[in-house]
Structure formats: structure tokens, C-alpha cells
């Protein structure tokens, strides 16, 4: 998604191949990914019979796939900007019964509220996090829980980035990999929440650099341990924020 224009990105051949592989990959591929296990660890205990869950920016529904497996008696709605991803999710047999909607999360109004609202790596593509956080809490029931899985800057600086793929400069500058400070996010959440927990995520294995395709990797340091690095070369400090809305 482009934050500054509605034009369709013109990616290089290599990037398009990566996107196609993701779109066509079997859901079971993601079962052993650290980030999914980490999310499930914190989310599943809250999902009881009848719990309503909204995943904003759900992609092709991988997280819902595993949540549904672990908490089948909850109900799920997934929203994404990409029609291709929504269509892929609708074709997955093990996601039957899930409501998938194509929409821009900045403009969405479902006219209903949920017990749990989730976003993953969504704030990082927008310059104003308050717009997305407002949508989360408008769709969250009083006393409900928001899960916000994002890279956040532990230092008191909000970082807004632009990148351009050198192999396809005609695509122009794209908005992504923003890292807002914990301080700024906490300030937005404070009047909306009764409790906020910051769960730090750290990869459990080393991910080497793969020069054949655009992908993230990890570095190890004595001070920080294992840290993720984005395709733009930026260090990525990821947290799962668990925020309870005021009753």
C-alpha cells in the first residue's frame, strides 16, 4: 500500500516473484515462524467461546488461520486493502466461516465492535499512527483488548521513512518501515486504555542475509542480543502491545 499516492507500484521482477511466492504459499509454511508462535502465546488465552476478533490488515489471513485452529469457538473478521489477498483468504478451506472484507483501514466503519482487535506491521506504513489507533479503539468494545504488533523505537524519536527500489525507480518513493517511539504511542494510548503491556519480541534463530531476494535478516550484538534488520538496513525493535480499552 502506498501512503502518498493511489498509483499501483511497479516492482522489479525479483520483488514480484517474492510477492507471488507469498500469495501462493501454503498456510502451513508459517506454522513455525517465531512471530506467529509469539502472537498466539499472548492472544489465544483471551479467546473464549463467542469472543469476536477483528484483524485489520489481515493480509491473506495467516494469523486468523492459526487463531481459529487454537480457538475455533471464537468468531473472526479480517480486513485488508489488497483484493488479491482477500480473494486468496476466501479460497482457503480452513478459513471457511471467516468474514473477509476488502477496505482501506483508514476509512473503515463496520458499525460494530469486537472483543479483540489486532494489527500487525500496519502502523509502519502510515505517517500518522493516531489515525489507525483511532480506528482500532472505535471498533473495540469497552473492556476489550487491542493487540498491536509493530516495530517501535525505544528511544524518544519518531522515525518516518521513504524507500525506493533501485531496480524499479519508476515506482517512486514508498512509505514503509516507520518506527514511532514508545513514548509517542503511549501518549496516544493513555486516555483510551486502563492497562498497557509491552511484550518485546526477539527472534529465536539467526536469519542470514539472502542477496538473491529482498528480505529481512538478523544481527547479533553483545548489548542488544539478536535484532532484526529490515530490507532498508534499519534495526527493527518489535513489540506486541497489549492494550485494554477503558470500560
Amino acid at each position: 500500500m502506498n501512503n502518498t499516492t493511489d498509483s499501483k507500484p511497479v516492482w522489479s521482477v525479483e520483488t514480484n516473484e517474492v510477492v507471488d511466492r507469498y500469495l501462493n504459499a501454503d498456510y502451513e509454511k508459517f506454522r513455525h515462524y517465531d512471530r506467529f508462535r509469539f502472537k498466539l502465546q499472548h492472544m489465544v488465552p483471551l479467546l473464549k467461546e463467542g469472543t469476536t476478533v477483528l484483524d485489520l490488515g489481515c493480509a491473506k489471513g495467516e494469523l486468523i488461520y492459526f487463531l481459529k485452529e487454537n480457538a475455533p469457538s471464537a468468531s473472526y473478521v479480517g480486513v485488508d486493502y489488497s483484493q488479491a489477498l482477500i480473494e486468496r483468504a476466501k479460497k482457503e478451506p480452513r478459513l471457511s466461516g471467516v468474514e473477509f472484507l476488502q477496505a482501506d483501514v483508514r476509512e473503515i466503519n463496520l458499525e460494530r465492535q469486537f472483543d479483540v482487535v489486532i494489527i500487525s506491521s500496519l502502523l509502519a506504513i502510515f505517517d500518522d499512527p493516531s489515525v489507525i489507533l483511532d480506528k482500532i479503539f472505535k471498533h473495540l468494545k469497552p473492556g476489550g483488548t487491542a493487540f498491536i504488533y509493530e516495530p517501535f523505537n525505544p528511544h524518544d524519536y519518531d522515525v518516518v521513512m521513504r524507500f525506493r527500489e533501485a531496480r524499479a525507480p519508476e515506482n517512486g518513493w514508498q512509505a514503509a518501515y516507520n518506527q514511532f517511539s514508545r513514548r509517542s504511542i503511549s501518549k496516544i494510548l493513555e486516555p483510551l486504555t486502563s492497562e498497557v503491556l509491552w511484550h518485546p519480541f526477539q527472534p529465536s534463530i539467526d536469519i542470514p542475509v539472502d542477496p538473491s531476494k529482498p528480505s529481512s535478516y538478523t544481527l547479533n550484538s553483545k548489548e542488544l542480543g539478536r535484532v532484526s534488520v529490515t530490507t532498508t538496513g534499519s534495526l527493527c525493535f518489535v513489540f506486541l502491545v497489549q492494550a485494554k480499552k477503558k470500560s
Side-chain angles (χ1 to χ4, degrees):
M1 183 186 300
N2 192 320
N3 196 24
T4 57
T5 178
D6 292 328
S7 61
K8 183 179 179 180
V10 183
W11 301 115
S12 68
V13 172
E14 292 88 345
T15 303
N16 278 322
E17 289 176 349
V18 171
V19 172
D20 287 341
R21 283 199 298 270
Y22 163 71
L23 189 62
N24 296 315
D26 187 271
Y27 287 73
E28 286 297 314
K29 171 185 177 181
F30 306 101
R31 179 173 298 279
H32 302 295
Y33 279 31
D34 275 352
R35 64 179 181 271
F36 286 104
R37 293 201 304 266
F38 178 72
K39 293 176 191 179
L40 294 175
Q41 173 189 344
H42 293 285
M43 295 177 184
V44 170
L46 273 66
L47 306 185
K48 312 299 182 183
E49 183 175 358
T51 300
T52 54
V53 181
L54 172 64
D55 187 356
L56 293 173
C58 67
K60 63 178 189 177
E62 306 99 307
L63 179 57
I64 295 177
Y65 177 95
F66 294 111
L67 289 173
K68 189 171 184 284
E69 179 181 82
N70 286 272
S73 60
S75 64
Y76 303 91
V77 176
V79 176
D80 200 87
Y81 182 82
S82 168
Q83 186 64 47
L85 292 175
I86 290 297
E87 291 303 320
R88 175 66 177 90
K90 289 180 177 179
K91 292 177 181 177
E92 172 53 48
R94 288 162 288 188
L95 286 172
S96 62
V98 177
E99 181 182 0
F100 285 105
L101 304 169
Q102 187 278 323
D104 188 327
V105 296
R106 295 168 293 183
E107 302 171 359
I108 192 170
N109 181 10
L110 298 179
E111 299 184 345
R112 48 183 154 150
Q113 293 184 311
F114 298 79
D115 298 302
V116 174
V117 179
I118 303 166
I119 64 168
S120 300
S121 304
L122 190 61
L123 294 183
I125 65 175
F126 297 110
D127 292 351
D128 184 358
S130 64
V131 174
I132 306 303
L133 293 173
D134 179 66
K135 288 295 182 182
I136 291 173
F137 282 87
K138 280 185 176 179
H139 286 90
L140 191 61
K141 293 178 181 178
T145 299
F147 286 103
I148 304 165
Y149 178 84
E150 299 280 344
F152 292 111
N153 192 354
H155 306 291
D156 291 342
Y157 293 92
D158 298 320
V159 181
V160 172
M161 294 188 65
R162 294 291 183 269
F163 75 96
R164 182 177 67 183
E165 190 179 11
R167 290 170 294 190
E170 63 272 23
N171 190 45
W173 294 97
Q174 302 295 308
Y177 304 110
N178 295 336
Q179 291 196 46
F180 301 102
S181 67
R182 286 186 56 170
R183 178 185 290 272
S184 292
I185 298 301
S186 295
K187 186 176 180 180
I188 296 172
L189 293 177
E190 184 176 4
L192 302 170
T193 58
S194 59
E195 181 183 48
V196 178
L197 304 174
W198 291 76
H199 306 294
F201 170 73
Q202 190 172 61
S204 65
I205 60 172
D206 293 330
I207 303 173
V209 176
D210 186 347
S212 68
K213 62 181 180 180
S215 60
S216 59
Y217 56 95
T218 59
L219 291 177
N220 286 284
S221 72
K222 180 179 179 181
E223 294 80 10
L224 300 174
R226 187 180 290 110
V227 180
S228 297
V229 182
T230 70
T231 53
T232 62
S234 303
L235 295 181
C236 191
F237 301 96
V238 178
F239 294 86
L240 177 65
V241 182
Q242 182 175 340
K244 186 174 182 178
K245 184 178 179 179
K246 289 181 177 178
S247 299

